[in-house]
Amino acid sequence: MRSAQEIKSYLLSETLKFATVSGVWTTKTNMIRVVDDTIPGIDIITTKSYQVKPNPGNREPIIGEVAAGSYVNAVGLRNPGMDKGFDELRALLDEKPLRALLNISVSGNSPEDFIELLKKFAPLADILELNFSCPHAKPGYGASIGCSAELVREYMQAIRPVTDTALFPKLTPNVDNIGEIARAAVEAGADGITAINTVGPEPYIEPNSGKLLLYNPNGHKGGRSGEHIFDIAVKKIREIRDAVGPDIPIIGMGGVSRGSQIRAIRSAGANAVGIGSVIARVKYKKQKEYFEALKFDTEFHTDTSASFLSVTQIAKYRPFKIKEINKLTNTMLTMELEGDPFLFKPGQYAFIWIPEAGEKPFGIVSASPLRFIIRKRDHDPDSNAGEFTHALFQMKEGDPIYIRGPYGDQVPENKKSHVLIVSGGTGLALVPKLAEHFSSLGHIVKVLHGVKDKKEAAFDELIADHAVYTIVPDEGKAGRVLDILSEELDQIETENCSVYTIGPDVLMEKALEIAVGKGCEAEHCYASLETNHMCGIGMCGECECGGVLSCKNGTFFNHPFLKEHYFTKTIKND
């Protein structure tokens, strides 16, 4: 780890430096490793904010998009807590040191909290970022601290003696005297300043429904980020620079997305530039090129980086009305919606939102009409478990409902002559589009769908036109579909067969083991993962698996990847 003076000298140098920002993108250690290894244009990697105790954060929706690239969010400082966070970061650094500086963000509601956090994380950090600014944290955290120069001074005076590691308080823009607050922090021992955090919080009313969107118990409010706070960021960073002078490094951020904005925020006083929510607008495979373009634009006064950004709203909700509900069983139903066409690619998914009940991601059955299949989860109101599907099962034909998406890249292609699709439960949702897609490419397609009861079968007419469709009831033996899979593979040349599985993890793991064991190439055997999708746009990082965000990459991963990164770490821990 570099000394605080080395950090200050490095940041104050003229070289352009980029940082990731807390709570966005590099929220998991695998993603930190991938960014460090593959995107050399990033010089500082910032973690999520860790607290002493685990914090589950807020329920979905946690993100909204006011206009293209302008967001509101209320993640609520979701984190695994100090001890687990330390263990994960320690393992990351033990494996291989980072190229970039590691900026560990911490959040407490008392000086004692911060002292405990700093003592824990200081041995791992190049910079310790003090979250004095989160606008949607619980009372006592975040902006509750950073809105007062006296309180910031009090905290810094208590915290500073604990460590020699560089300390950078992150300040809220939601004050009239940010320069005074920054100066108080520096006078009390801060080595630098990070600014700004999101603007607000404020409520956001989704325009189609007229309802409050974010599921935040603090008045359903969220902080503003992205394009619509850039001018505020420039103004606040200039005020900080004027207040602290030229010798204090500032990591500046707030709505930066292109070269012209980097030039503006550096002119205002930022030494390093934080790139945050804009990453949601950049394609997964273009991120390295995007940062190269940002550096080019800054040096040559161009704006080539703008060409990497999506120009439409990627988190926009569309209104629909429930046309038909078909209850297959007491715990499974299909839902048909009426509204504008909803185009999607095979393997993609969408979020369903019910105002005041929340939202969840679901596989898409068909586009016109838009259809879903839904399984009711066990409901426990005290813990909010199953709350959303419980609400879905209470809805009636004619009720309004809201959809955003689609998300994820389409299913991976292959050149095998045969495609075998194995699904279970609501994994059936993806099958009709997959069967249609592979059939249109000239593959011979077979579908095996495992069910507990034949009543769970649906969409025969959508699948049968494109594939040989076999419904496999358990008939007293759970997972009997795996036996039928084995029999099917015995009847074909497996070297010419690709297998796609969708359903419970155990089913998918066993199906792929059978396929590979029968001679199918492991690289062409896939499973669709149900990782924790919360934002859908590549911002929160919760869907990460093996350093890949499935909301960007798509949910299908091949057997070698899964064997290394997923099955051994999830199935065996259940």
Side-chain angles (χ1 to χ4, degrees), residues 421 446-450 463 467-473 481 484 488:
I421 301 172
K446 291 188 176 182
V447 174
L448 304 176
H449 180 56
I463 301 171
V468 176
Y469 179 31
T470 304
I471 299 167
V472 185
V481 69
I484 306 303
E488 285 283 345

Side-chain angles (χ1 to χ4, degrees), residues 424-569:
T426 55
L428 179 65
L430 301 184
V431 173
K433 189 71 170 180
L434 293 182
E436 177 188 2
H437 172 70
F438 287 123
S439 176
S440 71
L441 295 175
H443 299 278
I444 299 169
V445 184
K446 291 188 176 182
V447 174
L448 304 176
H449 180 56
V451 296
K452 293 181 180 179
D453 186 290
K454 281 190 175 182
K455 292 179 181 179
E456 295 181 356
F459 309 120
D460 309 46
E461 76 286 357
L462 296 180
I463 301 171
D465 286 344
H466 309 287
V468 176
Y469 179 31
T470 304
I471 299 167
V472 185
D474 284 349
E475 294 182 354
K477 182 182 179 182
R480 193 172 73 89
V481 69
L482 297 172
D483 296 335
I484 306 303
L485 168 64
S486 182
E487 294 172 8
E488 285 283 345
L489 290 170
D490 285 336
Q491 299 175 34
I492 61 176
E493 296 178 353
T494 51
E495 65 270 21
N496 290 322
C497 181
S498 183
V499 177
Y500 295 80
T501 64
I502 317 121
D505 286 345
V506 173
L507 172 73
M508 293 192 296
E509 182 180 28
K510 290 181 177 179
L512 294 189
E513 286 176 352
I514 291 169
V516 173
K518 294 281 186 177
C520 297
E521 290 185 41
E523 291 78 9
H524 296 284
C525 294
Y526 299 90
S528 177
L529 301 189
E530 284 194 26
T531 49
N532 185 25
H533 291 247
M534 295 190 73
C535 75
I537 60 176
M539 194 182 295
C540 73
E542 286 296 320
C543 66
E544 179 272 330
C545 177
V548 177
L549 299 181
S550 59
C551 69
K552 287 277 198 178
N553 176 79
T555 63
F556 281 90
F557 296 86
N558 69 19
H559 186 254
F561 180 94
L562 294 167
K563 197 170 181 180
E564 178 180 359
H565 297 292
Y566 188 74
F567 286 145
T568 57
K569 297 181 180 181

